[in-house]
């Protein structure tokens, strides 16, 4: 909300010396968020005057139209002689009143004006446009043409109100009443302790039976509808300068007099209005819900398909407005048109003014579904004062009569649904207990009365909330009002006492350990969007039946190209790797931990929860049942050099083994054993893919994969050659490790090392041999490591030799050679039984 200081002073007698920054500081203390204070006309220096065009000579021989003009500026130039000015604009004619800046003046942006020779003539000044004066868009993008009643030589700086200060306030959703000059003025009056001249205090005639007919079929969606009629408008009437300048300072573009007046009253009182061309309205105006799939063309010329929840304004022909959002093109105020032969001006002469109060939830849903946010919808979403509708309609009528020469019809229509003021019961010391300091009943009552509440009672207060504060619904809301008006800066600073035993959960601790472990291993964390397009599954070469292809799609995605929730972390990580590689960073190691979303076999339908009350436990349970499973995954991607070359060595490139090692590091953090064996899945190279296995409930489960990506995947996704990746299910990894992470124990007894070399078929996975050795060695085995793989004539064709180092240790004694040898032999025996392994040299 942009608030011109000059406009604000109409409602509050601010001290004469108060600047915009002073007022902003007061409003910030009161809880408003003032973003900036804009100085309009900063550096502007005259003479800047009203002039009248006397002659126009078209200059020939130039690539664009150029005009040499003489302009009467009165005595502003010191001589009274016509001022000669070269100008390229063409939206003015002889006899028009224009704004002229003379030599010696300085325009915004430190643009000094002097006589200069151009296009073969000498130009003594400029004929100005709105942009050159910093006025904003007036819709013409051309020279300012003033109404004929302004005298030549008048100071245009004062006439156009070019010097002012504008406060740009960010209005939070709970302070919707501040989206008006009336609301901000009320806050300023309270902050300064000054009286407010409420612009809504108008004499409004009582409703009667001969107003324009209105029928409201949905009183829950529209609890108040006021209609007034003004006839005999002058279609050639233009908005006066003071009106257009206030609209421009507030950030709105002048359009036409009738529309400008409705926008002006909306800014002034906070009540959105709409003016219908009465000649285009057929019969009774109605308010109802739209029919499913009903078509309607809004003022912006877009034909829209409506939903059964949308609230519409209708006449006998159908919808004429989207309630609280935008009017219809079929009843738009017609632009004035001048007949070139007769000079007669035609346009809208009779209008019906609508001032209504609509349900904020309904308006918000319609605006978001249609992606049609308007100044009206922004206000209705945050809450509009229903009691202001009649005053806003009266104010609009008064301005149309004053500025457009219209006549207000005596008929007044007001349809009101029954309702009662909202009251809140609150202990008088409740704000004291919330703030942790003593205000006292007198202060609490005074502050609540300042914001418009009626307060009764002694120890137990009964507070009647003003109509313009729909955000006040509970005692805590009232306490907040007292605290903010007394000043947040006056609250005592006390550190909260942290209760013991409420630290991170085991799951949260694991996630942090995983992040630290990967960061310590040289990976950089990347956070990607949780949305994907289904085409990425083809790039990853996932089978058609793969569970990862069963996605949950969003009804309103941020991008139509990525409408689904991710089922894997790899697309986002690989996209980050590709972007960084394209920008010159070729040695990359990235990781991400985050949720993936798995669609249920029979997806449920999420209920739409109410917003006017707390959902019931059953409604929350139904919603949770419809949510997809959201396991947490971890993934890494690598490309380029893993170890840099230098004087210390040649370095080495990242490969599949680094991806596998990252998985092993996560298993260590989870306190579980991870079995790594050859696998084949989706994007990974068949010969360089490892599946990651844990034991859960006595059953082996594959919880991830690691290795080098397939060349076809690398090409399809534009990745660096030999890119490697790993992805693992963190939740199942944690479940395999248990909740408590066991710290390593320093043994008191020496280790016994036994090495074995086993010959197996080349097709036997080393992981199968390792699993058999672990099982056969029993409890004495401390660790097992594969340190050599050998193939050649010595072991035979189709065979390979696997050399393992086995470490044995007992917790209560020093092992004898016989005990360690027996354990080794048992391990070798079981490996031979399960995999056909034989000792090399046996």
């Amino acid at each position: 909300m942009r608030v011109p200081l000059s406009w604000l002073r109409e409602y509050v007698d601010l001290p004469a010396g108060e600047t915009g920054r002073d007022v902003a500081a007061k409003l910030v203390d009161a809880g408003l968020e003032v973003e900036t204070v804009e100085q309009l006309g900063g550096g502007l220096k005259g003479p800047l005057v009203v002039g009248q065009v006397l002659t126009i000579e078209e200059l020939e021989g130039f690539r664009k139209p150029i005009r040499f003009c003489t302009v009467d500026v009165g005595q502003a130039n010191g001589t009274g002689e016509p001022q000669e000015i070269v100008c390229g604009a063409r939206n003015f004619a002889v006899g028009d009143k224009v704004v002229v800046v003379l030599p010696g003046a300085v325009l915004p942006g430190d643009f000094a004006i002097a006589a200069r020779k151009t296009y073969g003539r000498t130009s003594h000044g400029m004929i100005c446009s709105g942009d050159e004066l910093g006025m904003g868009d007036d819709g013409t993008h051309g020279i300012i043409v003033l109404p004929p009643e302004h005298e030549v030589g008048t100071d245009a700086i004062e006439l156009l109100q070019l010097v002012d200060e504008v406060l740009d306030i960010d209005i939070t959703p709970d302070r919707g009443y501040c989206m008006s000059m009336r609301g901000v003025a009320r806050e300023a009056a309270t902050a300064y302790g000054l009286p407010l001249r409420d612009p809504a205090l108008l004499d409004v005639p009582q409703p009667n039976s001969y107003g324009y007919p209105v029928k409201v079929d949905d009183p829950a969606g529209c609890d108040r509808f006021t209609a007034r009629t003004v006839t005999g408008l002058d279609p050639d009437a233009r908005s006066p300068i003071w009106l257009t300048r206030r609209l421009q300072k507030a950030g709105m573009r002048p359009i036409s007099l009738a529309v400008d007046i409705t926008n002006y009253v909306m800014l002034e009182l906070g009540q959105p209005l709409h003016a219908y061309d009465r000649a285009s309205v057929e019969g009774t105006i109605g308010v109802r819900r739209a029919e499913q799939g009903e078509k309607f063309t809004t003022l912006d010329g877009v034909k829209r398909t409506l939903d059964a929840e949308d609230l519409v304004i209708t006449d006998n022909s159908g919808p004429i407005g989207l309630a609280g959002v935008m009017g219809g093109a079929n009843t738009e105020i017609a632009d004035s048109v001048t007949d070139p032969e007769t000079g007669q001006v035609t346009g809208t002469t009779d209008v019906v003014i609508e001032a209504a109060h609509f349900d904020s939830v309904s308006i918000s849903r319609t605006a978001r579904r249609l992606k049609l946010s308007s100044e009206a919808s922004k206000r209705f979403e945050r809450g509009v004062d229903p009691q202001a509708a009649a005053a806003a309609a009266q104010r609009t009528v008064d301005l149309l009569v004053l500025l457009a020469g219209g006549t207000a019809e005596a008929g007044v229509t007001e349809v009101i649904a029954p309702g009662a003021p909202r009251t809140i019961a609150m202990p008088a010391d409740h704000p004291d207990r919330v703030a942790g300091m003593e205000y006292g009943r007198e202060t609490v009552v005074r502050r609540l009365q300042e914001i418009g509440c009626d307060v009764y009672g002694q120890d137990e207060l009964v507070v009647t909330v003003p109509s313009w504060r729909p955000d006040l619904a509970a005692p805590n809301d009232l306490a907040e009002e007292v605290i903010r008006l007394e000043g947040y800066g006056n609250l005592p600073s006390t550190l909260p006492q942290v209760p013991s035993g409420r630290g991170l959960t085991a799951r949260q601790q694991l996630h942090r350990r995983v992040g630290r472990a990967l960061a310590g291993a040289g990976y950089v964390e990347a956070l990607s969007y949780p949305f994907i397009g289904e085409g990425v599954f083809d790039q990853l070469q996932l089978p058609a039946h793969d569970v990862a292809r069963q996605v949950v799609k969003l009804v309103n995605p941020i991008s139509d190209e990525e409408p689904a929730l991710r089922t894997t972390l790899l697309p986002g990580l690989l996209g980050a790797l590709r972007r960084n590689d394209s920008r010159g960073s070729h040695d990359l190691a990235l990781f991400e931990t985050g949720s993936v979303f798995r669609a249920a076999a029979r997806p449920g339908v999420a209920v739409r929860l109410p917003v006017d009350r707390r959902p019931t436990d059953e409604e929350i349970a139904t919603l949770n049942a419809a949510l997809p499973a959201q396991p947490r995954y971890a993934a890494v991607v690598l490309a380029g050099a893993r170890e840099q070359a230098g004087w210390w060595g040649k370095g080495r490139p990242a490969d599949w083994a680094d991806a596998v090692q990252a998985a092993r590091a996560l298993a260590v953090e989870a306190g579980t054993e991870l079995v790594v064996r050859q696998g084949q899945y989706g994007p990974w190279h068949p010969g360089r893919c490892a599946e990651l296995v844990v034991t859960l409930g006595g059953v082996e489960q594959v919880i991830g994969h690691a290795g080098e990506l397939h060349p076809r995947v690398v090409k399809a996704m534009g990745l660096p050659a030999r890119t490697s990746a790993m992805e693992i299910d963190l939740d199942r990894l944690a479940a395999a490790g248990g909740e408590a992470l066991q710290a390593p124990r320093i043994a008191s007894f020496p280790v016994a090392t036994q090495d074995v070399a086993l010959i197996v078929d080349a097709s036997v996975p080393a992981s199968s041999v390792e699993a058999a050795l672990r099982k056969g060695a029993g409890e004495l085995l401390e660790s097992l490591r594969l340190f050599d793989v050998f193939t050649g004539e010595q072991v035979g064709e189709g065979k390979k030799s696997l050399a393992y180092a086995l470490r044995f240790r007992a917790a209560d004694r020093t092992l004898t050679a016989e005990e360690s040898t027996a354990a080794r032999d048992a391990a070798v025996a079981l490996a031979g039984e399960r995999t056909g392994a034989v000792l090399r040299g046996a």
Side-chain angles (χ1 to χ4, degrees), residues 22-48:
D22 297 331
V23 176
K26 284 283 190 179
L27 294 178
V28 169
D29 288 341
L32 292 181
E33 299 180 11
V34 182
E35 298 284 344
T36 59
V37 178
E38 184 178 349
Q39 302 287 333
L40 299 184
L44 178 63
K45 177 183 174 183
L48 187 71

Side-chain angles (χ1 to χ4, degrees), residues 610-777:
V611 296
D612 57 343
R613 60 174 173 82
R614 185 189 183 280
T616 64
D617 293 340
E618 292 76 13
E619 289 172 331
I620 295 175
T622 303
L623 179 64
N624 289 334
L627 296 177
Q630 302 175 44
R632 194 171 186 90
Y633 274 39
V636 303
V637 293
L638 306 97
R642 185 63 175 146
E643 294 179 4
Q644 296 291 336
W647 58 266
W648 52 85
K650 296 181 179 180
R652 68 174 184 84
D655 60 18
W656 63 269
D658 294 302
V660 173
Q661 183 56 35
R664 293 187 187 276
L666 301 192
V668 170
E669 296 299 328
T672 187
E673 290 287 341
L674 187 68
V675 177
V676 179
R677 63 192 183 202
Q678 185 176 359
Q680 182 173 344
Y681 177 68
W684 281 277
H685 194 294
R688 296 167 186 162
C689 173
E691 60 182 20
L692 312 173
V693 182
V694 295
T695 301
L696 281 171
V699 179
E700 287 190 345
Q701 294 188 20
V702 178
I703 63 170
H705 293 84
E708 183 180 316
L709 297 183
H710 197 287
R712 283 198 291 267
V713 174
V714 169
K715 181 178 180 181
M717 302 191 74
L719 302 172
R722 310 299 292 271
T723 296
S724 298
M726 179 278 294
E727 185 173 39
I728 194 169
D729 186 335
L730 275 184
D731 287 346
R732 287 197 285 172
L733 183 68
E739 292 187 1
L741 181 63
Q742 297 295 327
R745 180 177 57 85
I746 299 176
S748 303
F749 299 94
V751 66
T753 302
Q754 296 275 0
D755 293 345
V756 295
L758 303 177
I759 297 176
V760 296
D761 289 338
S763 61
V764 175
S767 59
S768 299
V769 178
E770 179 179 330
L773 289 174
R774 288 183 183 278
K775 182 71 174 178

Side-chain angles (χ1 to χ4, degrees), residues 21 45 118 148 197 252 261 284 293 304 311 395 479 546 601 628 686:
R21 295 193 178 278
K45 177 183 174 183
T118 179
R197 288 188 291 274
M252 301 189 74
I261 288 175
T284 300
R304 304 181 186 277
L311 201 63
R395 177 72 164 139
D546 195 282

Side-chain angles (χ1 to χ4, degrees), residues 12 31 56 87 163 306 394 520 684:
V12 184
I56 297 177
C87 183
V163 179
L306 303 183
Q394 182 62 45
W684 281 277

Side-chain angles (χ1 to χ4, degrees), residues 505-536:
T505 65
R507 188 171 186 257
Q508 292 169 332
Q509 290 174 350
L510 174 61
H511 296 163
R512 292 200 178 185
R513 291 200 306 271
V514 163
R516 286 194 294 265
L518 292 175
Y523 292 87
V524 176
E525 185 171 17
L527 301 177
S528 57
Y529 285 115
F531 312 113
I532 57 174
E534 294 183 82
V536 75

Side-chain angles (χ1 to χ4, degrees), residues 22 53 68 120 124 202 263 302 355 377 386 388 469 494 502 509 533 677 711 715 721 723 735:
D22 297 331
V53 180
F68 181 68
H124 299 274
L202 301 174
N263 286 337
V302 178
S377 69
R469 292 300 302 271
T494 55
R502 297 188 182 180
Q509 290 174 350
R677 63 192 183 202
K715 181 178 180 181
T723 296

Side-chain angles (χ1 to χ4, degrees), residues 9 45 181 328 330 346 356 452 455 519 525 579 778 788 798:
R9 290 183 182 275
K45 177 183 174 183
M181 294 300 303
N330 51 351
T346 59
V455 186
E525 185 171 17
R579 285 191 298 273
D788 185 52

